[in-house]
Amino acid sequence: MTVTLEPNPLLEGLRLRRRPDPCLLVIFGASGDLTAKKLMPALYALALRRLLPERFGVVGAARSEESDDEFRERMKKAVQDHARDPFRDDVWEELADGMRYVTLDFADDHGEDELARTLAELDEERETEGNRVYYFAVPPSAIGTLVEEIAERRTADGWIRLVIEKPFGHDLHSARELNAQIQQHFSENEVFRIDHYLGKETVQNMLALRFANGIFEPIWNRQFIDHVQITVAESIGIEGRAGYYEQAGAIRDIFQNHLLQLVAITAMEPPIDFTADSVRNEKLKVLKAMHTPGPKHIVRGQYGLGFVEGVEVRGYREEDGVAQGSMTETFVAAKLFVDNWRWADTPFYVRMGKRLARRETTIAIQFKRAPHPPFEDAGQELRPNVLLIHVQPNEGVSLAIGAKVPGQGMAIRTVHMDFLYGGAFREGLPDAYERLILDAMLGDATLFTRSDEIEEQWALVDAVVAFWQRDRPSFPNYAAGTWGPSGAEELLARDGRSWGRH
Ligand code: BG6
C-alpha cells in the first residue's frame, strides 16, 4: 500500500528545521517496552517524514541473545503495532538496513568490545562520521558503568550525546552521584535528560499561549488568578511494572518529574529567548521558589479493587509482583506554593494517580470572580473564568466564560470557547519522543531537564518522603475508577474550593 502524507495548508511557508548531522543511535535497553512502544515507532515516524539524518544507523543493545535479523523483525512488528502512521515497506526497509543488534551484559567487557566493533563497521558503511547518540533506556544503576566505557573509548572523531531516560536516580543523593559521574567525562550540553512531557505539543503550546499572545501575560499572576489545578490522571494500572513501581510510587514516577515540570512551565517568568539555558534558568527559579508542602498539604492514596470503564479491576496489592501489605502510593495530591512576587499565596493544587476515572492531563487556570456582577440571575450557575489546557487527550485549550442565555431577562451561564488541535491543524500530533529524539540529534537541549532542575525536584520529593515515613495511612483508600481518596477532595474543600470536573 502506498500512503502519501497530505499537504497541510496550515504548514505552508513554515521554515523546515535543519536535518541532523549523520549519526548512529545506540539504544541501551533495546529489548524493553520503551524501545518497542515509543522509540522505534518515533524513529519510523521521523523516517517517514524524512526528518532523520541522511546517513543514519541504529544499534540496539541489551542483555538478551538476538541476531540482527531477529531484532529487525521484532522492531518491525513493534512499528506495525504502535506507530501512528500506516506501515510502508519502503520506509521500513531503508531504516532496517542500518539496524544492528549487540548482546551486552553491562558488567561484561566482551559485549563492550563487540559494540565498539559494530559501531566502527556501521560508521564506515553508513558514513556517519563518528557521531553518536547513546540512548539509555536502562535503570539508573546501569548508567554509570556504561558512561565510563563510552568516555574511555571516545575518539577525536565526531560528537557524542547522551540521552538519559527517567528515573534519573532514586533520590537527591543518587541523582547527584549520577550527575557527578557523568559530568566527570561529559559537559552539560552533551547530556539530554528526558522528561517526555516536555516533548508533548500541548506542553510546548503552554509556552506559545503565554508568550506569543499579548493578552495572557498581564493577567498571569496572583492579582487575577485565584488558583491553578494540575491533574495527571491515568486509568491504567501499573501494567506489569511492579518491580519498578514498588520502588518508585506515584511520587517518583510522576510527581518528581512530569508534574513538577508542568508547574514550572505554568509558573515560569518569560525567558529572554528560547535557548536551552534561558528556558531552563526560568524553570529552575520556579523549582527553587517552591515550598515543600507540609503533611497537611499532601495526600497519598493507593487503589483497591474497583471498576474502570465498566470493567472490574484488581486492587494495587493484588497486582502481580506487588507485596501484600505494600505501602506504595499510586496517587498523590498536593497544595504547592511558588513563593515569589508573581505567585505568592496562590495555591497550585496538583493531583496524579493510576486507576483513576479516566485518562486526562489538564492544567486549569482559575481566575478570580468578577468583583461585582450586576446581574441578579447569574446565581450559582456562573462559574469563574477558567482557562483549561487539555494536555491529553482531546488536545486543545478552552476558556470558560459567562454568556447571556438567549431570551428575556439577563440569565447568565458558563459557556466554553474551544480550540481543538484536531480541528485547527490537520496533521495528527507527533508523539513526544519524535520531537525529543530529533532535538537530541540536533543538539538542542531546550526540552530536556538540566542537572540542577533534577536536583531541585529530588530535594522536594526527599522532604516529602521523609515525613511520609513517620506514619502509615490505611491503604487501599480509594477504589479503582474513582478520582482518588477523599483526602484529595478535602484538601480543596478546606479552602472553599473543589476540583474541576472538565
Ligand atoms: C511515564 C511513567 O513516565 O509516564 C508511567 O513511568 C506513565 O507510569 C507514563 O504511565 C504516562 O505517560 P503519558 O505520555 O501516557 O501521559
Side-chain angles (χ1 to χ4, degrees):
M1 176 170 70
T2 41
V3 180
T4 41
L5 288 177
E6 267 193 57
N8 180 342
L10 282 172
L11 299 178
E12 260 171 37
L14 286 190
R15 191 161 43 94
L16 281 179
R17 297 186 78 195
R18 81 187 149 89
R19 251 174 131 166
D21 297 343
C23 65
L24 296 181
L25 169 68
V26 181
I27 303 177
F28 296 116
S31 54
D33 254 12
L34 187 83
T35 307
K37 290 190 179 153
K38 294 291 180 184
L39 305 184
M40 229 10 108
L43 287 175
Y44 175 81
L46 293 172
L48 183 68
R49 289 166 181 77
R50 304 239 150 256
L51 292 169
L52 286 178
E54 243 163 272
R55 301 194 302 276
F56 179 64
V58 181
V59 179
R63 231 172 262 165
S64 41
E65 295 279 345
E66 211 170 29
S67 70
D68 288 345
D69 282 340
E70 284 163 345
F71 177 61
R72 288 189 199 109
E73 261 320 293
R74 200 162 54 77
M75 293 301 109
K76 181 175 179 180
K77 173 96 180 34
V79 168
Q80 285 167 337
D81 290 350
H82 302 289
R84 68 183 173 105
D85 304 297
F87 189 79
R88 259 175 62 173
D89 279 315
D90 57 334
V91 175
W92 173 253
E93 289 309 327
E94 209 180 308
L95 189 61
D97 208 34
M99 263 185 207
R100 304 283 182 279
Y101 181 82
V102 175
T103 304
L104 185 72
D105 194 330
F106 306 128
D108 174 356
D109 278 352
H110 172 74
E112 298 286 353
D113 289 342
E114 169 80 27
L115 176 63
R117 238 186 340 266
T118 308
L119 284 172
E121 274 167 29
L122 199 57
D123 202 32
E124 206 171 302
E125 203 182 301
R126 314 288 293 184
E127 297 174 48
T128 44
E129 302 169 15
N131 297 328
R132 312 262 196 272
V133 177
Y134 292 96
Y135 198 111
F136 295 79
V138 291
S141 55
I143 298 173
T145 338
L146 288 170
V147 167
E148 300 274 338
E149 280 285 340
I150 295 167
E152 237 169 69
R153 292 171 191 258
R154 184 172 201 166
T155 65
D157 292 337
W159 45 252
I160 289 188
R161 303 205 172 112
L162 310 178
V163 183
I164 304 183
E165 259 300 332
K166 65 169 269 259
F168 192 90
H170 182 73
D171 52 16
L172 178 58
H173 177 74
S174 54
R176 274 201 181 131
E177 259 183 7
L178 194 50
N179 272 331
Q181 204 166 14
I182 295 170
Q183 284 158 353
Q184 250 182 9
H185 306 288
F186 294 94
S187 61
E188 184 63 33
N189 62 14
E190 293 173 307
V191 185
F192 298 75
R193 296 174 198 78
I194 291 243
D195 183 317
H196 79 278
Y197 267 54
L198 296 177
K200 290 186 189 274
E201 280 292 327
T202 37
V203 173
Q204 292 161 53
N205 189 46
M206 177 61 127
L207 297 172
L209 192 76
R210 290 189 56 195
F211 306 132
N213 295 291
I215 61 168
F216 295 117
E217 219 34 39
I219 54 171
W220 206 264
N221 56 49
R222 62 195 300 272
Q223 258 97 39
F224 297 90
I225 292 178
D226 180 71
H227 70 278
V228 175
Q229 293 185 9
I230 301 183
T231 298
V232 180
E234 295 184 274
S235 55
I236 54 171
I238 53 163
E239 311 261 280
R241 294 157 78 212
Y244 156 74
Y245 202 85
E246 277 279 88
Q247 299 301 316
I251 191 114
R252 292 188 174 88
D253 187 43
I254 301 274
F255 181 95
Q256 187 269 346
N257 36 79
H258 308 328
L259 194 281
L260 289 179
Q261 284 291 326
L262 292 182
V263 175
I265 297 256
T266 308
M268 71 194 260
E269 295 300 313
I272 49 167
D273 51 34
F274 201 59
T275 56
D277 271 331
S278 302
V279 171
R280 299 190 294 181
N281 287 344
E282 297 307 333
K283 283 194 293 158
L284 180 69
K285 287 185 205 160
V286 174
L287 295 167
K288 278 183 181 296
M290 243 182 310
H291 287 304
T292 305
K296 267 180 42 199
H297 288 168
I298 188 152
V299 174
R300 56 187 152 150
Q302 187 193 72
Y303 61 86
L305 177 123
F307 288 86
V308 174
E309 283 146 17
V311 178
E312 190 175 34
V313 297
R314 293 185 280 185
Y316 178 69
R317 288 176 175 180
E318 285 75 58
E319 301 276 13
D320 298 333
V322 171
Q324 265 184 1
S326 170
M327 291 306 292
T328 303
E329 77 291 343
T330 59
F331 177 96
V332 178
K335 177 176 169 181
L336 302 173
F337 285 102
V338 179
D339 218 359
N340 61 18
W341 270 60
R342 188 188 281 262
W343 296 113
D345 302 322
T346 312
F348 283 68
Y349 299 102
V350 300
R351 59 178 172 171
M352 72 236 59
K354 298 266 183 209
R355 285 286 188 232
L356 297 182
R358 59 172 180 271
R359 174 168 184 259
E360 174 183 295
T361 299
T362 51
I363 303 173
I365 314 291
Q366 174 142 351
F367 292 92
K368 292 189 172 165
R369 280 185 185 279
H372 172 68
F375 318 109
E376 282 171 15
D377 290 0
Q380 288 306 309
E381 295 291 336
L382 185 59
R383 300 201 298 269
N385 298 117
V386 177
L387 181 70
L388 185 65
I389 289 101
H390 292 271
V391 175
Q392 64 192 24
N394 306 326
E395 290 82 357
V397 180
S398 143
L399 178 64
I401 53 172
K404 180 184 173 305
V405 179
Q408 301 304 312
M410 204 55 193
I412 313 283
R413 294 285 180 277
T414 297
V415 296
H416 294 92
M417 295 203 311
D418 289 327
F419 146 61
L420 274 175
Y421 274 83
F425 301 102
R426 289 204 333 237
E427 261 268 313
L429 289 182
D431 186 77
Y433 280 94
E434 294 170 33
R435 171 71 192 244
L436 295 177
I437 291 174
L438 197 62
D439 277 6
M441 286 176 185
L442 288 163
D444 181 351
T446 313
L447 300 177
F448 295 83
T449 327
R450 206 167 54 189
S451 59
D452 45 8
E453 287 180 87
I454 289 262
E455 292 183 11
E456 282 300 331
Q457 292 171 185
W458 276 124
L460 193 70
V461 166
D462 278 7
V464 171
V465 170
F467 66 66
W468 272 357
Q469 260 146 20
R470 284 187 235 134
D471 60 19
R472 284 173 70 83
S474 74
F475 279 168
N477 59 356
Y478 71 96
T482 64
W483 284 102
S486 56
E489 303 296 329
E490 285 151 23
L491 187 69
L492 273 73
R494 279 203 295 272
D495 299 342
R497 300 183 174 113
S498 58
W499 292 105
R501 295 276 181 259
H502 312 298

